[in-house]
Amino acid sequence: MSVFLDKNTRLLVQGITGKEGQFHTRQCVAYGTNVVAGMTPGKGGQKMDGIPVYNSVREAAEATKPNASMILVPPPFAADAIIEAIDSDIALIVCITEGIPVMDMMRVKNYLAQKPQCRLVGPNCPGLMTPGECKIGIMPNSMGKAGGPVGVISRSGTLTYEVMHQLTEVGLGQTTCIGIGGDPINGTNFIDCLTAFNDDPETKAVVMVGEIGGNAEEDACAFIKANMDIPVVGFIAGLTAPPGRRMGHAGAIVSGGKGTAEAKIEAMKAAGVHHCDNLGKIGELAKKVF
Amino acid sequence: MKIHEYQAKELFRKYKVPTLANGVATTVDGIIAEAAKLKLPVAVKAQIHAGGRGKGGGVKLAKTAEEVKKYANEILGMTLVTKQTGPEGRLVKTVLVEEGCNIAKELYLSFIPDRATSTVTIIASEAGGMDIEDVAANTPEKIIKVQINPTTGIKGFHLNQVAFGLNMPKEVLKEFAGVLRGLYQLFIDYDCSMVEINPLVITGDNHIIALDAKLDVDSNSLFRHPDIVAFHDPNEDDPLEAAAAKFNLNYINLDGNVGNMVNGAGLAMATMDIIKQVGAEPANFLDVGGGADAEMVENGFKIILSDKKVKGILINIFGGILRCDVLAQGVVQAAKAVNLNIPVVVRMEGTNVEEGRRILKESGLTLITAKNLADAAEKVAEIVK
C-alpha cells in the first residue's frame, strides 16, 4: 500500500513540451509512471515521445481521464496552471515550480478550499514517489526502496533524497515519499501526510523532515501527540540560520522570533517524536525506533 | 526585496496614504536645498534598509537651517549601527528631510501575508512608536489582528474592527478607512511581503499621517514590478551576495570560517548545522541548486574563495539526476580553474558515487574525501581548528 499515488495513477504533465517538462516526463516514464497526456497551450495535436499533447487541461482530461497532474511551467504562469487543474477536478496536482509569488498562492489556496476532491502537493517541491510503482516529480529514479514500511515527508528536496538514501542503506524501504515543498504557502501539509500514513496499513513509521519558518511543524506535532498510532522520527534543519534571512527556500525564514528550529525541536520532543539531532544518523535512528 | 522609506512613501502617495512634505538628497548641499523648501523644524533621516535608525543616531530633528547643515554632515557618510544592521553597520548615502507635525497619538499598523490562513493580516496597536515585538511579548492584549481573505478583499467590517480596536476618535474614522483601503490595495498591487508604519500618527487637528514607512516586496513577484526593481539600491547589498546572485547562486555570508557548498537549500541548512555541531562555524550558506552542474560548482568556489575568512571548505553534494561522476569532474575542473589553495573536504553520495570518488582521488588535487556527513564535518573542523 501507499498514499496518494500508485500503479493506477494516470498522469498528465502541464508544460510537457518545455525543456524541464520533456526531461522529467521521460524520467517519470522510465520509472514506470503511466503518463497519459501532456498539455501546452498552442501545442495541441503534437506528440511528445508518443504521449498526446493537448491545448488545455479540460481537453486532456476528457480524452485521457488523468487522475494526477504534474506542473512544470515557469513561475509567472504556474498559479494559473494549478487553477486550471483544479477546474478540471484533477485529484492529485503536483506543482514542482519554484518562485511563484505568495499572493498568487494565496488565491490558489483559497480557491482550492472550495474543491475538497483536489489535493495540491507543492509548489517548490520535488514531488512524490511510491518506490517501485510510481513517481511524480523530479526525484532521482535511483532513489528509494520498494515495499515500505516507512513513510517520508519533507519540506526540502535534497533532504528527502538524503533520508531515502539512509533508510535504504539500513534496509528500510518506503511506502511513499512526499516532498511538500519549501514555500510559505503550500497545498498539502505535514498533517495531511501524517493522516494518510496513519491510515495506511503498510506504513509502520514516519520520518518527518522540517525546517525553520512558519509553524507547520508545531501544528504537526500537536496532531502527532493526539492522533498518531505509529512512531515518528523527526529532523529540523536550520539551527544555525541567522534570523531575518531567507535560507534558499522562500518559506525558510525566522522572523519576529517565530519559526525557530529550537521551538520546532521542543515541539517534537514534547509530542514524543524521536528527534534526530544529527542528519547523518537519521537512518540509524529510524532503524532503532522501528 | 526591501526598499527605502522615501521610496515606500512615494508609493504611499500614489495610494493616497498621507505623508508629510519631504525631499531626498545624497549630498550635504542637496539636503540643505531640500530642507529650504520645507517648513522648519525638519527631521533629518538616514535611508538604510534597517530598523532602529533613531536609536543608532540616524534620525535627528533640526530646528534651524544651521542644525540642518550640522545633522546633514553628521548623518551623511556615517556608518549607522542599529540592532538590525549587525556590528559592521551600514554606510549612509541617502538622506530624507521631512517636515514635522503636531502629534496627538502614535499608532502601529502593518500588513503581512499570513502563511497559515492564506490571508492578508492587518496588525495594529495603540502602542505606536515602540518595538512591536516587545509589545506582543509584554502586552499582547494591545495588539489587534484582522485577517482579510484576498478573494473578497477589504470590507467595511474589517475597517471597523481595526478602527474600533484602536479606539479611533470619530473625527478621523473616514480618513483612517481611506488609509486602510489604500494600504491594502498597495499591498495587493505590489505583492508586498510587509508594509509597516510605526508610528502612524493622529495629528492635533485630527488627520492621519504615515510618519515612517517600511515596505518589503516578495522577490518572486519582481518579474511584474519593474518600478520596484528600479528602486534597488546596490549600496544595501553584501558584495559577495550580490556577486553570487549574478551566478544564480543562493548565498548568504556568515561569520564563521568553514566555507561550504551544498546542493539544495534544506541540505545546505543541515550542513551548516552539522558544522556547528562539531564545534566549527559556517562561513556561509550556499545552495548551488538541486540540479547543480560543473559551472555552478566553479562559480560557488569563486564566491567562497573571495571570502577571506574561509580556512577550509566542505562540499556536500547529493548526486541525483546529476550523477556523482559528472559532479566530481565539475569539482576537479573548478578546483583547477580557480587555483584552489585551501583544504577541501568532499562528501558525495548518490548515483554513481564510486566512480565519483575515484575521479576525485585520481585528480592529483589534495581533496579530502569523507565517507559520510558526520565524518566530513569532523574532518573540516579538524582543519580549521
PDB file of all heavy atoms in Angstrom, chain B residues 297-328:
ATOM      1  N   VAL B 297      29.260  24.761  -9.715  1.00  0.00           N
ATOM      2  CA  VAL B 297      30.260  24.414  -8.696  1.00  0.00           C
ATOM      3  C   VAL B 297      31.453  25.368  -8.801  1.00  0.00           C
ATOM      4  O   VAL B 297      31.955  25.872  -7.792  1.00  0.00           O
ATOM      5  CB  VAL B 297      30.701  22.938  -8.862  1.00  0.00           C
ATOM      6  CG1 VAL B 297      31.864  22.615  -7.944  1.00  0.00           C
ATOM      7  CG2 VAL B 297      29.528  22.002  -8.584  1.00  0.00           C
ATOM      8  N   GLU B 298      31.885  25.644 -10.017  1.00  0.00           N
ATOM      9  CA  GLU B 298      33.029  26.552 -10.205  1.00  0.00           C
ATOM     10  C   GLU B 298      32.688  27.951  -9.677  1.00  0.00           C
ATOM     11  O   GLU B 298      33.481  28.575  -8.982  1.00  0.00           O
ATOM     12  CB  GLU B 298      33.394  26.616 -11.693  1.00  0.00           C
ATOM     13  CG  GLU B 298      34.636  27.452 -11.936  1.00  0.00           C
ATOM     14  CD  GLU B 298      35.107  27.414 -13.394  1.00  0.00           C
ATOM     15  OE1 GLU B 298      34.880  26.408 -14.079  1.00  0.00           O
ATOM     16  OE2 GLU B 298      35.705  28.419 -13.819  1.00  0.00           O
ATOM     17  N   ASN B 299      31.503  28.438 -10.010  1.00  0.00           N
ATOM     18  CA  ASN B 299      31.093  29.750  -9.520  1.00  0.00           C
ATOM     19  C   ASN B 299      30.992  29.775  -7.996  1.00  0.00           C
ATOM     20  O   ASN B 299      31.360  30.746  -7.350  1.00  0.00           O
ATOM     21  CB  ASN B 299      29.745  30.149 -10.137  1.00  0.00           C
ATOM     22  CG  ASN B 299      29.863  30.410 -11.628  1.00  0.00           C
ATOM     23  OD1 ASN B 299      30.945  30.740 -12.112  1.00  0.00           O
ATOM     24  ND2 ASN B 299      28.771  30.241 -12.347  1.00  0.00           N
ATOM     25  N   GLY B 300      30.505  28.659  -7.450  1.00  0.00           N
ATOM     26  CA  GLY B 300      30.418  28.528  -5.996  1.00  0.00           C
ATOM     27  C   GLY B 300      31.793  28.656  -5.354  1.00  0.00           C
ATOM     28  O   GLY B 300      31.989  29.370  -4.370  1.00  0.00           O
ATOM     29  N   PHE B 301      32.787  27.963  -5.942  1.00  0.00           N
ATOM     30  CA  PHE B 301      34.168  28.049  -5.458  1.00  0.00           C
ATOM     31  C   PHE B 301      34.657  29.494  -5.465  1.00  0.00           C
ATOM     32  O   PHE B 301      35.281  29.967  -4.526  1.00  0.00           O
ATOM     33  CB  PHE B 301      35.093  27.230  -6.370  1.00  0.00           C
ATOM     34  CG  PHE B 301      35.388  25.845  -5.861  1.00  0.00           C
ATOM     35  CD1 PHE B 301      35.238  24.748  -6.684  1.00  0.00           C
ATOM     36  CD2 PHE B 301      35.822  25.647  -4.563  1.00  0.00           C
ATOM     37  CE1 PHE B 301      35.512  23.470  -6.231  1.00  0.00           C
ATOM     38  CE2 PHE B 301      36.098  24.374  -4.097  1.00  0.00           C
ATOM     39  CZ  PHE B 301      35.945  23.281  -4.935  1.00  0.00           C
ATOM     40  N   LYS B 302      34.388  30.179  -6.564  1.00  0.00           N
ATOM     41  CA  LYS B 302      34.857  31.566  -6.698  1.00  0.00           C
ATOM     42  C   LYS B 302      34.311  32.442  -5.575  1.00  0.00           C
ATOM     43  O   LYS B 302      35.032  33.248  -4.998  1.00  0.00           O
ATOM     44  CB  LYS B 302      34.413  32.147  -8.054  1.00  0.00           C
ATOM     45  CG  LYS B 302      35.257  31.643  -9.212  1.00  0.00           C
ATOM     46  CD  LYS B 302      34.813  32.317 -10.505  1.00  0.00           C
ATOM     47  CE  LYS B 302      35.480  31.654 -11.707  1.00  0.00           C
ATOM     48  NZ  LYS B 302      34.686  31.824 -12.927  1.00  0.00           N
ATOM     49  N   ILE B 303      33.034  32.275  -5.291  1.00  0.00           N
ATOM     50  CA  ILE B 303      32.412  33.096  -4.245  1.00  0.00           C
ATOM     51  C   ILE B 303      33.016  32.755  -2.876  1.00  0.00           C
ATOM     52  O   ILE B 303      33.414  33.641  -2.118  1.00  0.00           O
ATOM     53  CB  ILE B 303      30.883  32.866  -4.205  1.00  0.00           C
ATOM     54  CG1 ILE B 303      30.240  33.268  -5.534  1.00  0.00           C
ATOM     55  CG2 ILE B 303      30.248  33.601  -3.038  1.00  0.00           C
ATOM     56  CD1 ILE B 303      30.259  34.730  -5.853  1.00  0.00           C
ATOM     57  N   ILE B 304      33.106  31.464  -2.585  1.00  0.00           N
ATOM     58  CA  ILE B 304      33.625  31.054  -1.269  1.00  0.00           C
ATOM     59  C   ILE B 304      35.063  31.547  -1.093  1.00  0.00           C
ATOM     60  O   ILE B 304      35.439  32.059  -0.041  1.00  0.00           O
ATOM     61  CB  ILE B 304      33.561  29.523  -1.100  1.00  0.00           C
ATOM     62  CG1 ILE B 304      32.102  29.068  -1.027  1.00  0.00           C
ATOM     63  CG2 ILE B 304      34.316  29.085   0.145  1.00  0.00           C
ATOM     64  CD1 ILE B 304      31.926  27.572  -0.917  1.00  0.00           C
ATOM     65  N   LEU B 305      35.869  31.420  -2.147  1.00  0.00           N
ATOM     66  CA  LEU B 305      37.285  31.792  -2.048  1.00  0.00           C
ATOM     67  C   LEU B 305      37.484  33.298  -1.949  1.00  0.00           C
ATOM     68  O   LEU B 305      38.515  33.751  -1.461  1.00  0.00           O
ATOM     69  CB  LEU B 305      38.068  31.226  -3.237  1.00  0.00           C
ATOM     70  CG  LEU B 305      38.215  29.701  -3.217  1.00  0.00           C
ATOM     71  CD1 LEU B 305      38.815  29.212  -4.519  1.00  0.00           C
ATOM     72  CD2 LEU B 305      39.052  29.242  -2.031  1.00  0.00           C
ATOM     73  N   SER B 306      36.509  34.075  -2.397  1.00  0.00           N
ATOM     74  CA  SER B 306      36.695  35.522  -2.248  1.00  0.00           C
ATOM     75  C   SER B 306      36.323  35.990  -0.844  1.00  0.00           C
ATOM     76  O   SER B 306      36.461  37.152  -0.519  1.00  0.00           O
ATOM     77  CB  SER B 306      35.929  36.287  -3.339  1.00  0.00           C
ATOM     78  OG  SER B 306      34.638  35.791  -3.467  1.00  0.00           O
ATOM     79  N   ASP B 307      35.864  35.065  -0.005  1.00  0.00           N
ATOM     80  CA  ASP B 307      35.619  35.382   1.402  1.00  0.00           C
ATOM     81  C   ASP B 307      36.895  35.053   2.173  1.00  0.00           C
ATOM     82  O   ASP B 307      37.263  33.894   2.334  1.00  0.00           O
ATOM     83  CB  ASP B 307      34.438  34.539   1.898  1.00  0.00           C
ATOM     84  CG  ASP B 307      34.114  34.790   3.346  1.00  0.00           C
ATOM     85  OD1 ASP B 307      34.867  35.547   4.014  1.00  0.00           O
ATOM     86  OD2 ASP B 307      33.124  34.230   3.836  1.00  0.00           O
ATOM     87  N   LYS B 308      37.586  36.093   2.624  1.00  0.00           N
ATOM     88  CA  LYS B 308      38.916  35.895   3.223  1.00  0.00           C
ATOM     89  C   LYS B 308      38.885  35.184   4.577  1.00  0.00           C
ATOM     90  O   LYS B 308      39.911  34.769   5.090  1.00  0.00           O
ATOM     91  CB  LYS B 308      39.639  37.249   3.351  1.00  0.00           C
ATOM     92  CG  LYS B 308      39.892  37.933   2.021  1.00  0.00           C
ATOM     93  CD  LYS B 308      40.761  37.057   1.093  1.00  0.00           C
ATOM     94  CE  LYS B 308      40.701  37.524  -0.355  1.00  0.00           C
ATOM     95  NZ  LYS B 308      40.736  36.431  -1.339  1.00  0.00           N
ATOM     96  N   LYS B 309      37.710  35.065   5.162  1.00  0.00           N
ATOM     97  CA  LYS B 309      37.625  34.374   6.463  1.00  0.00           C
ATOM     98  C   LYS B 309      37.803  32.859   6.323  1.00  0.00           C
ATOM     99  O   LYS B 309      38.148  32.186   7.270  1.00  0.00           O
ATOM    100  CB  LYS B 309      36.229  34.600   7.096  1.00  0.00           C
ATOM    101  CG  LYS B 309      35.834  36.031   7.332  1.00  0.00           C
ATOM    102  CD  LYS B 309      34.526  36.113   8.142  1.00  0.00           C
ATOM    103  CE  LYS B 309      33.314  35.460   7.524  1.00  0.00           C
ATOM    104  NZ  LYS B 309      32.721  36.132   6.344  1.00  0.00           N
ATOM    105  N   VAL B 310      37.532  32.362   5.124  1.00  0.00           N
ATOM    106  CA  VAL B 310      37.435  30.913   4.929  1.00  0.00           C
ATOM    107  C   VAL B 310      38.791  30.209   5.064  1.00  0.00           C
ATOM    108  O   VAL B 310      39.758  30.564   4.407  1.00  0.00           O
ATOM    109  CB  VAL B 310      36.804  30.598   3.556  1.00  0.00           C
ATOM    110  CG1 VAL B 310      36.865  29.114   3.240  1.00  0.00           C
ATOM    111  CG2 VAL B 310      35.357  31.078   3.533  1.00  0.00           C
ATOM    112  N   LYS B 311      38.829  29.199   5.967  1.00  0.00           N
ATOM    113  CA  LYS B 311      40.071  28.444   6.198  1.00  0.00           C
ATOM    114  C   LYS B 311      39.949  27.003   5.703  1.00  0.00           C
ATOM    115  O   LYS B 311      40.934  26.277   5.602  1.00  0.00           O
ATOM    116  CB  LYS B 311      40.396  28.428   7.698  1.00  0.00           C
ATOM    117  CG  LYS B 311      40.603  29.809   8.308  1.00  0.00           C
ATOM    118  CD  LYS B 311      42.032  30.289   8.081  1.00  0.00           C
ATOM    119  CE  LYS B 311      42.234  31.689   8.625  1.00  0.00           C
ATOM    120  NZ  LYS B 311      41.624  32.721   7.771  1.00  0.00           N
ATOM    121  N   GLY B 312      38.748  26.572   5.456  1.00  0.00           N
ATOM    122  CA  GLY B 312      38.529  25.210   4.962  1.00  0.00           C
ATOM    123  C   GLY B 312      37.173  25.174   4.291  1.00  0.00           C
ATOM    124  O   GLY B 312      36.309  25.989   4.596  1.00  0.00           O
ATOM    125  N   ILE B 313      37.034  24.229   3.348  1.00  0.00           N
ATOM    126  CA  ILE B 313      35.775  24.167   2.603  1.00  0.00           C
ATOM    127  C   ILE B 313      35.189  22.761   2.700  1.00  0.00           C
ATOM    128  O   ILE B 313      35.915  21.770   2.609  1.00  0.00           O
ATOM    129  CB  ILE B 313      35.996  24.540   1.111  1.00  0.00           C
ATOM    130  CG1 ILE B 313      36.519  25.972   0.995  1.00  0.00           C
ATOM    131  CG2 ILE B 313      34.696  24.386   0.307  1.00  0.00           C
ATOM    132  CD1 ILE B 313      36.875  26.392  -0.417  1.00  0.00           C
ATOM    133  N   LEU B 314      33.906  22.705   2.913  1.00  0.00           N
ATOM    134  CA  LEU B 314      33.200  21.429   2.896  1.00  0.00           C
ATOM    135  C   LEU B 314      32.221  21.424   1.732  1.00  0.00           C
ATOM    136  O   LEU B 314      31.378  22.311   1.618  1.00  0.00           O
ATOM    137  CB  LEU B 314      32.444  21.241   4.222  1.00  0.00           C
ATOM    138  CG  LEU B 314      31.451  20.075   4.299  1.00  0.00           C
ATOM    139  CD1 LEU B 314      32.123  18.753   4.006  1.00  0.00           C
ATOM    140  CD2 LEU B 314      30.818  20.028   5.690  1.00  0.00           C
ATOM    141  N   ILE B 315      32.378  20.433   0.861  1.00  0.00           N
ATOM    142  CA  ILE B 315      31.423  20.287  -0.243  1.00  0.00           C
ATOM    143  C   ILE B 315      30.538  19.090   0.069  1.00  0.00           C
ATOM    144  O   ILE B 315      31.040  17.994   0.343  1.00  0.00           O
ATOM    145  CB  ILE B 315      32.150  20.060  -1.580  1.00  0.00           C
ATOM    146  CG1 ILE B 315      33.005  21.275  -1.908  1.00  0.00           C
ATOM    147  CG2 ILE B 315      31.141  19.820  -2.708  1.00  0.00           C
ATOM    148  CD1 ILE B 315      33.724  21.162  -3.226  1.00  0.00           C
ATOM    149  N   ASN B 316      29.256  19.311   0.087  1.00  0.00           N
ATOM    150  CA  ASN B 316      28.317  18.226   0.372  1.00  0.00           C
ATOM    151  C   ASN B 316      27.304  18.169  -0.766  1.00  0.00           C
ATOM    152  O   ASN B 316      26.443  19.013  -0.883  1.00  0.00           O
ATOM    153  CB  ASN B 316      27.618  18.493   1.707  1.00  0.00           C
ATOM    154  CG  ASN B 316      26.684  17.374   2.088  1.00  0.00           C
ATOM    155  OD1 ASN B 316      26.743  16.275   1.535  1.00  0.00           O
ATOM    156  ND2 ASN B 316      25.800  17.645   3.036  1.00  0.00           N
ATOM    157  N   ILE B 317      27.479  17.176  -1.612  1.00  0.00           N
ATOM    158  CA  ILE B 317      26.610  17.074  -2.779  1.00  0.00           C
ATOM    159  C   ILE B 317      25.897  15.737  -2.783  1.00  0.00           C
ATOM    160  O   ILE B 317      26.530  14.689  -2.666  1.00  0.00           O
ATOM    161  CB  ILE B 317      27.412  17.218  -4.096  1.00  0.00           C
ATOM    162  CG1 ILE B 317      28.171  18.535  -4.134  1.00  0.00           C
ATOM    163  CG2 ILE B 317      26.494  17.033  -5.316  1.00  0.00           C
ATOM    164  CD1 ILE B 317      27.437  19.734  -4.642  1.00  0.00           C
ATOM    165  N   PHE B 318      24.583  15.809  -2.890  1.00  0.00           N
ATOM    166  CA  PHE B 318      23.829  14.586  -3.070  1.00  0.00           C
ATOM    167  C   PHE B 318      23.496  14.449  -4.547  1.00  0.00           C
ATOM    168  O   PHE B 318      22.657  15.161  -5.061  1.00  0.00           O
ATOM    169  CB  PHE B 318      22.556  14.583  -2.230  1.00  0.00           C
ATOM    170  CG  PHE B 318      22.056  13.203  -2.011  1.00  0.00           C
ATOM    171  CD1 PHE B 318      22.270  12.554  -0.819  1.00  0.00           C
ATOM    172  CD2 PHE B 318      21.421  12.516  -3.044  1.00  0.00           C
ATOM    173  CE1 PHE B 318      21.852  11.247  -0.648  1.00  0.00           C
ATOM    174  CE2 PHE B 318      21.010  11.220  -2.869  1.00  0.00           C
ATOM    175  CZ  PHE B 318      21.217  10.579  -1.672  1.00  0.00           C
ATOM    176  N   GLY B 319      24.214  13.551  -5.205  1.00  0.00           N
ATOM    177  CA  GLY B 319      24.044  13.391  -6.648  1.00  0.00           C
ATOM    178  C   GLY B 319      22.776  12.613  -6.952  1.00  0.00           C
ATOM    179  O   GLY B 319      22.627  11.479  -6.536  1.00  0.00           O
ATOM    180  N   GLY B 320      21.878  13.237  -7.648  1.00  0.00           N
ATOM    181  CA  GLY B 320      20.643  12.554  -8.007  1.00  0.00           C
ATOM    182  C   GLY B 320      20.566  12.425  -9.498  1.00  0.00           C
ATOM    183  O   GLY B 320      21.246  11.588 -10.104  1.00  0.00           O
ATOM    184  N   ILE B 321      19.768  13.306 -10.082  1.00  0.00           N
ATOM    185  CA  ILE B 321      19.623  13.309 -11.532  1.00  0.00           C
ATOM    186  C   ILE B 321      20.971  13.654 -12.159  1.00  0.00           C
ATOM    187  O   ILE B 321      21.362  13.101 -13.167  1.00  0.00           O
ATOM    188  CB  ILE B 321      18.508  14.284 -11.929  1.00  0.00           C
ATOM    189  CG1 ILE B 321      17.173  13.603 -11.597  1.00  0.00           C
ATOM    190  CG2 ILE B 321      18.594  14.664 -13.385  1.00  0.00           C
ATOM    191  CD1 ILE B 321      16.002  14.510 -11.534  1.00  0.00           C
ATOM    192  N   LEU B 322      21.678  14.564 -11.531  1.00  0.00           N
ATOM    193  CA  LEU B 322      23.042  14.829 -11.963  1.00  0.00           C
ATOM    194  C   LEU B 322      23.936  13.840 -11.204  1.00  0.00           C
ATOM    195  O   LEU B 322      24.001  13.862  -9.988  1.00  0.00           O
ATOM    196  CB  LEU B 322      23.430  16.264 -11.627  1.00  0.00           C
ATOM    197  CG  LEU B 322      24.594  16.725 -12.470  1.00  0.00           C
ATOM    198  CD1 LEU B 322      24.114  17.041 -13.871  1.00  0.00           C
ATOM    199  CD2 LEU B 322      25.247  17.919 -11.862  1.00  0.00           C
ATOM    200  N   ARG B 323      24.635  13.005 -11.942  1.00  0.00           N
ATOM    201  CA  ARG B 323      25.348  11.900 -11.305  1.00  0.00           C
ATOM    202  C   ARG B 323      26.616  12.374 -10.608  1.00  0.00           C
ATOM    203  O   ARG B 323      27.213  13.372 -10.972  1.00  0.00           O
ATOM    204  CB  ARG B 323      25.690  10.838 -12.354  1.00  0.00           C
ATOM    205  CG  ARG B 323      24.476  10.332 -13.121  1.00  0.00           C
ATOM    206  CD  ARG B 323      24.886   9.226 -14.078  1.00  0.00           C
ATOM    207  NE  ARG B 323      26.157   9.497 -14.730  1.00  0.00           N
ATOM    208  CZ  ARG B 323      26.280   9.917 -15.995  1.00  0.00           C
ATOM    209  NH1 ARG B 323      25.212  10.118 -16.730  1.00  0.00           N
ATOM    210  NH2 ARG B 323      27.475  10.114 -16.503  1.00  0.00           N
ATOM    211  N   CYS B 324      27.063  11.583  -9.624  1.00  0.00           N
ATOM    212  CA  CYS B 324      28.254  11.932  -8.847  1.00  0.00           C
ATOM    213  C   CYS B 324      29.506  12.015  -9.706  1.00  0.00           C
ATOM    214  O   CYS B 324      30.377  12.840  -9.457  1.00  0.00           O
ATOM    215  CB  CYS B 324      28.487  10.909  -7.743  1.00  0.00           C
ATOM    216  SG  CYS B 324      27.320  11.082  -6.408  1.00  0.00           S
ATOM    217  N   ASP B 325      29.623  11.172 -10.729  1.00  0.00           N
ATOM    218  CA  ASP B 325      30.836  11.216 -11.554  1.00  0.00           C
ATOM    219  C   ASP B 325      30.906  12.541 -12.318  1.00  0.00           C
ATOM    220  O   ASP B 325      31.974  13.154 -12.424  1.00  0.00           O
ATOM    221  CB  ASP B 325      30.909  10.005 -12.502  1.00  0.00           C
ATOM    222  CG  ASP B 325      29.644   9.819 -13.323  1.00  0.00           C
ATOM    223  OD1 ASP B 325      28.574  10.202 -12.834  1.00  0.00           O
ATOM    224  OD2 ASP B 325      29.728   9.306 -14.449  1.00  0.00           O
ATOM    225  N   VAL B 326      29.781  13.004 -12.783  1.00  0.00           N
ATOM    226  CA  VAL B 326      29.749  14.280 -13.503  1.00  0.00           C
ATOM    227  C   VAL B 326      30.082  15.421 -12.533  1.00  0.00           C
ATOM    228  O   VAL B 326      30.860  16.327 -12.846  1.00  0.00           O
ATOM    229  CB  VAL B 326      28.360  14.516 -14.143  1.00  0.00           C
ATOM    230  CG1 VAL B 326      28.308  15.862 -14.840  1.00  0.00           C
ATOM    231  CG2 VAL B 326      28.025  13.389 -15.101  1.00  0.00           C
ATOM    232  N   LEU B 327      29.512  15.327 -11.339  1.00  0.00           N
ATOM    233  CA  LEU B 327      29.790  16.355 -10.334  1.00  0.00           C
ATOM    234  C   LEU B 327      31.254  16.355  -9.927  1.00  0.00           C
ATOM    235  O   LEU B 327      31.861  17.415  -9.757  1.00  0.00           O
ATOM    236  CB  LEU B 327      28.913  16.120  -9.109  1.00  0.00           C
ATOM    237  CG  LEU B 327      27.514  16.698  -9.246  1.00  0.00           C
ATOM    238  CD1 LEU B 327      26.602  16.142  -8.189  1.00  0.00           C
ATOM    239  CD2 LEU B 327      27.562  18.216  -9.170  1.00  0.00           C
ATOM    240  N   ALA B 328      31.822  15.160  -9.778  1.00  0.00           N
ATOM    241  CA  ALA B 328      33.231  15.052  -9.380  1.00  0.00           C
ATOM    242  C   ALA B 328      34.110  15.712 -10.432  1.00  0.00           C
ATOM    243  O   ALA B 328      35.043  16.451 -10.108  1.00  0.00           O
ATOM    244  CB  ALA B 328      33.606  13.593  -9.198  1.00  0.00           C
TER     245      ALA B 328
END
